[in-house]
């Protein structure tokens, strides 16, 4: 028995190397007693839930757009009798400009908050951030229902944009993580199919509720629909996103956030000389809370700028986004001016319903088809650029040709085929955004793509096309000039076919590699240097 105890003690005794330095025995990680509990969110459940949330998001956009069309100002005749206005515009007695501001105010919150949520995803669990965003969205629509003036509803609509920003930045990476390898683009296509579908449903929903009840009830209904998903975002076990530390790994996050500040303190300690661990601990103990907060904010900003530099230097990403900006410039103007152009060119009595119907049907079929075709071709970045350039070019040719016909029926046939092909880009373009960057950069990639396409695409396109029409006074020529911008979009995406591209989905992110040993390696280096001296 004594021999056995001596043997055990000998084996557990620290070893010494050739220089006589004591080496600690390797520490083995404790094995968990029970397997981790799987999340309730299976891949298909997650896709279904995110699709429903996306539908509700765009239902809200359709509802506010419906109010803009159906609302009217108060009118008064010469005798002094007035007819009350309808909708938000009539109740708050808004000008056409103010009514237009309300419908686009959510863009302010969306553009400002998208990069913020994407950056926060590196220090806060992304799934919880979606829960926070949906909470803000729900507060925003409730505020819209309870608004009492132009400014109150404008601020509420901005909050809706802030809430939507978290979902837009983070939902697609979650879907991309959990989709089958051979169906990634198809799953993304199904998700983005909800955009035209939700918008069309919202247009009908907003009109019906406004006509039969009151426009405020439409917003209340949206809040009720979204509330269960807000609850899910907080009570269910959070999912992790590829490229980010697990939700329970607070130590890893702390190391990443404080590494830069610790390096700075060591360098400036004792007149520039490296201080000991005890001195470092004393400094940290007496560091004011304001200094800690300032350092943390500074680190967040430095991290954001570093990530932005990576995105801007990525030729594949920049090429993809530039093509998407030109594409969205046309699609945004189509959605706003299309019915009016059709009404003036072809004397359509119900142009809004015709254009809306074509957009819904072609949007759903085109988006799903584009995803499945890319998966059939094998979902790679070069294949995505080939599909983007080909479908956009042929779709642009059909749309351009449609406006050349004098027959309304030929116009509708060619325009429907063109929109079907043009909408096939949704899955491939987002696949490139997700796979051309490191996994930890995917939320920021999606956020900045959204910011760019809105800021330089659909937001300025509507007023610019209006200025063009005011200048030439010919809707056919205006429509042809607008449609021709799709050809440069196809050309930009065609350039992407020849760029050297790497699918970085399976690469380890810098955040994953450095998060655990960051401080330990620095401590080991200091010990080794002091031992050698």
């Amino acid at each position: 028995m004594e021999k056995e105890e001596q043997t055990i003690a000998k084996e557990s005794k620290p070893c010494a190397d050739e220089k006589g330095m004591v080496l600690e025995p390797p520490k083995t990680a404790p094995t968990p007693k029970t397997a981790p509990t799987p999340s309730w969110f299976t891949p298909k459940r997650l896709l279904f839930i995110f699709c429903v949330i996306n539908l509700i998001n765009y239902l809200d956009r359709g509802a506010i757009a419906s109010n803009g069309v159906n609302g009217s100002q108060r009118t008064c005749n010469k005798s002094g009798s007035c007819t009350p206005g309808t909708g938000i515009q009539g109740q708050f007695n808004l000008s056409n400009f103010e009514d237009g501001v309300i419908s686009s105010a959510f863009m302010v919150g969306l553009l400002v908050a998208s990069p913020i949520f994407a950056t926060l995803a590196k220090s806060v669990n992304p799934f919880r951030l979606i829960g926070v965003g949906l909470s803000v969205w729900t507060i925003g629509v409730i505020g819209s229902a309870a608004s009492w003036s132009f400014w109150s509803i404008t601020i509420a609509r901005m909050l809706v944009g802030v809430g939507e920003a978290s979902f837009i930045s983070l939902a697609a990476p979650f879907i991309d993580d959990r989709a089958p390898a051979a169906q990634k683009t198809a799953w993304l296509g199904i998700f983005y199919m909800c955009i035209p579908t939700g918008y069309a449903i919202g247009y009908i929903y907003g009109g019906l509720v406004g006509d039969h009840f009151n426009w405020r009830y439409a917003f209340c209904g949206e809040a009720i629909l979204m509330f269960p998903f807000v609850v899910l975002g907080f009570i269910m076990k959070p999912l992790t996103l590829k490229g980010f530390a697990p939700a329970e790994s607070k130590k890893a996050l702390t190391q990443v956030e404080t590494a830069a500040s610790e390096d700075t303190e060591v360098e400036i300690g004792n007149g520039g000389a490296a201080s000991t661990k005890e001195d470092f601990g004393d400094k940290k103990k007496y560091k004011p809370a304001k200094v800690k907060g300032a350092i943390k904010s500074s680190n967040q900003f430095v991290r954001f700028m570093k990530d932005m530099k990576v995105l801007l230097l990525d030729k594949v990403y920049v090429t993809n986004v530039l093509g998407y900006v030109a594409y969205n410039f046309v699609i945004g103007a189509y959605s706003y001016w299309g019915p009016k152009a059709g009404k003036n060119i072809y004397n359509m009595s119900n142009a809004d319903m015709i254009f809306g119907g074509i957009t819904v049907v072609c949007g759903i079929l085109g988006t799903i088809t584009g995803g499945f075709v890319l998966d059939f071709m094998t979902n790679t970045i070069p294949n995505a650029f080939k599909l983007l350039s080909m479908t956009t070019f042929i779709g642009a040719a059909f749309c351009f040709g449609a406006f050349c016909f004098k027959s309304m029926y030929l116009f509708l046939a060619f325009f429907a085929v063109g929109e079907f092909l043009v909408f096939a880009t949704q899955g491939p373009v987002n696949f490139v955004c997700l796979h051309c960057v490191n996994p930890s950069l995917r939320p920021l990639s999606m956020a900045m793509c959204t910011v760019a396409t809105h800021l330089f695409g659909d937001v300025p396109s509507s007023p610019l096309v209006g200025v063009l029409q005011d200048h030439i006074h010919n809707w056919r020529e205006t429509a042809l000039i607008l449609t021709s911008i799709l050809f440069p979009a196809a050309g930009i995406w065609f350039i992407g076919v020849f760029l050297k591209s790497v699918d970085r989905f399976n690469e380890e992110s810098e955040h994953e590699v450095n998060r655990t040993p960051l401080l330990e390696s620095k401590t080991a280096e200091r010990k080794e240097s002091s031992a050698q001296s």
Side-chain angles (χ1 to χ4, degrees):
M1 188 70 179
E2 293 178 358
K3 289 182 179 181
E4 291 179 0
E5 292 176 354
Q6 291 175 0
T7 303
I8 294 172
K10 184 177 181 180
E11 289 177 354
S12 61
K13 183 178 179 180
C15 302
D17 63 2
E18 296 176 355
K19 296 181 180 181
M21 296 182 66
V22 176
L23 302 177
E24 294 290 339
K27 296 180 181 179
T28 58
T31 56
K33 296 181 180 179
T34 58
T37 306
S39 174
W40 178 84
F41 291 98
T42 62
K44 289 184 178 180
R45 282 178 183 169
L46 184 74
L47 176 63
F48 174 77
I49 289 172
F50 277 5
C51 283
V52 175
I53 294 173
N54 211 22
L55 273 172
I56 299 173
N57 270 329
Y58 281 88
L59 182 146
D60 173 72
R61 292 201 196 180
I64 195 74
S66 172
N67 170 79
V69 172
N70 297 319
S72 62
Q73 293 176 312
R74 183 180 60 176
T75 57
C76 298
N77 54 28
K78 294 181 180 180
S79 61
S81 61
C82 295
T83 302
T86 59
I88 299 173
Q89 186 177 23
Q91 186 159 351
F92 295 148
N93 195 25
L94 305 178
S95 66
N96 288 328
F97 173 76
E98 290 173 327
D99 196 38
V101 168
I102 290 175
S103 66
S104 58
F106 80 97
M107 285 287 186
V108 177
L110 180 70
L111 298 180
V112 172
S114 291
I116 294 175
F117 275 111
T119 304
L120 286 175
K122 288 195 172 184
S123 55
V124 181
N125 181 271
F127 193 77
R128 292 296 189 232
L129 283 177
I130 291 179
V132 172
L134 296 182
S135 301
V136 176
W137 189 95
T138 305
I139 292 171
V141 294
I142 292 174
S144 300
S147 57
W148 61 91
S149 65
F150 166 73
W151 283 110
S152 63
I153 194 170
T154 300
I155 294 172
R157 299 307 301 169
M158 290 180 184
L159 285 178
V160 170
V162 171
E164 188 177 332
S166 70
F167 185 72
I168 286 178
S169 304
L170 301 170
F174 273 112
I175 293 173
D176 190 51
D177 275 358
R178 284 151 183 82
Q183 297 178 355
K184 285 185 178 294
T185 323
W187 281 41
L188 289 173
I190 292 171
F191 175 71
Y192 286 103
M193 171 202 72
C194 299
I195 293 177
T197 308
Y199 199 96
I201 294 173
Y203 200 89
I204 298 171
Y205 165 78
L208 290 175
V209 175
D211 289 341
H212 292 83
F213 302 99
N214 186 284
W215 59 268
R216 296 181 187 272
Y217 288 100
F219 294 121
C220 292
E222 294 168 14
I224 293 171
L225 289 173
M226 186 65 80
F227 184 73
F229 301 105
V230 174
V231 175
L232 277 179
F234 288 104
I235 67 170
M236 302 302 293
K237 179 182 178 182
L239 298 172
T240 56
L241 194 59
K242 183 178 177 66
F244 296 89
E248 51 279 344
S249 180
K250 294 184 179 179
K251 180 181 178 181
L253 296 171
T254 304
Q255 289 175 340
V256 172
E257 291 176 353
T258 59
S261 60
E262 290 179 355
D263 288 343
T264 304
E265 290 178 9
V266 171
E267 289 175 1
I268 64 174
N270 296 332
S275 57
T276 63
K277 184 175 182 180
E278 288 77 10
D279 293 338
F280 179 77
D282 291 340
K283 290 179 183 178
K284 192 171 182 180
K285 183 186 301 182
Y286 295 106
K287 188 195 301 181
K290 290 184 179 179
V291 176
K292 289 183 181 180
I295 292 175
K296 186 174 181 180
S297 300
S298 175
N299 290 343
Q300 290 277 9
F301 180 74
V302 170
R303 180 189 299 167
F304 170 75
M305 295 305 296
K306 180 182 176 182
D307 291 344
M308 281 297 301
K309 182 179 179 181
V310 172
L311 288 181
L312 293 176
L313 293 177
D314 191 324
K315 295 179 181 178
V316 174
Y317 178 77
V318 172
T319 301
N320 188 50
V321 172
L322 287 177
Y324 204 21
V325 167
Y327 166 91
N328 261 30
F329 188 94
V330 178
I331 298 301
Y334 270 174
S335 65
Y336 191 82
W337 292 114
K340 192 164 188 175
K343 182 178 180 179
N344 282 271
I345 297 171
Y346 298 103
N347 296 318
M348 295 180 185
S349 58
N350 52 349
D352 53 348
M353 297 299 293
I354 292 175
F355 272 82
I358 291 175
T359 301
V360 171
V361 175
C362 296
I364 293 173
L365 296 178
T367 304
I368 295 178
T369 302
F372 278 101
V373 169
L374 181 57
D375 288 334
F376 179 78
M377 294 170 61
T378 304
N379 46 25
T380 64
I381 294 175
N383 282 346
F385 277 123
K386 291 176 186 176
L387 187 61
L388 286 169
S389 57
M390 180 177 63
T391 57
T392 304
F393 183 84
I394 300 175
F398 270 91
C399 290
F400 191 89
F403 284 105
C404 294
F405 289 114
K406 292 183 178 180
S407 169
M408 183 182 72
Y409 298 104
L410 284 175
F411 163 77
L412 292 176
F414 270 67
F415 191 72
V417 174
E419 282 223 316
F420 170 82
L421 291 168
V422 166
F423 273 109
T425 59
Q426 292 297 315
V429 73
N430 287 285
F431 175 86
V432 175
C433 277
L434 289 168
H435 283 251
C436 72
V437 298
N438 193 276
S440 64
L441 286 178
R442 287 181 302 169
L444 185 62
S445 168
M446 298 303 296
M448 297 316 299
C449 180
T450 301
V451 169
T453 52
H454 286 313
L455 196 60
F456 303 108
D458 53 3
V459 170
S461 67
S462 295
L464 288 176
V465 169
V467 171
L468 178 64
Q469 171 60 20
D470 290 339
H471 180 69
I472 64 178
H473 301 288
N474 188 313
W475 274 110
R476 190 185 298 274
E477 291 182 12
T478 299
L480 289 172
I481 293 172
L482 173 66
T483 304
S484 64
I485 297 175
L486 286 174
F487 292 108
I492 293 170
W493 278 328
F494 186 66
I495 294 172
V497 177
F498 303 99
L499 295 177
K500 183 180 179 181
S501 58
V502 178
D503 191 328
R504 304 185 185 278
F505 177 76
N506 291 319
E507 288 187 4
E508 288 186 344
S509 69
E510 183 182 353
H511 186 68
E512 285 181 313
V513 173
N514 293 336
R515 69 176 184 234
T516 301
L518 191 60
L519 297 183
E520 295 176 3
S521 60
K522 294 181 180 297
T523 306
E525 288 175 3
R526 292 166 190 160
K527 286 184 179 180
E528 184 177 353
S529 60
S530 61
Q532 289 177 354
S533 60

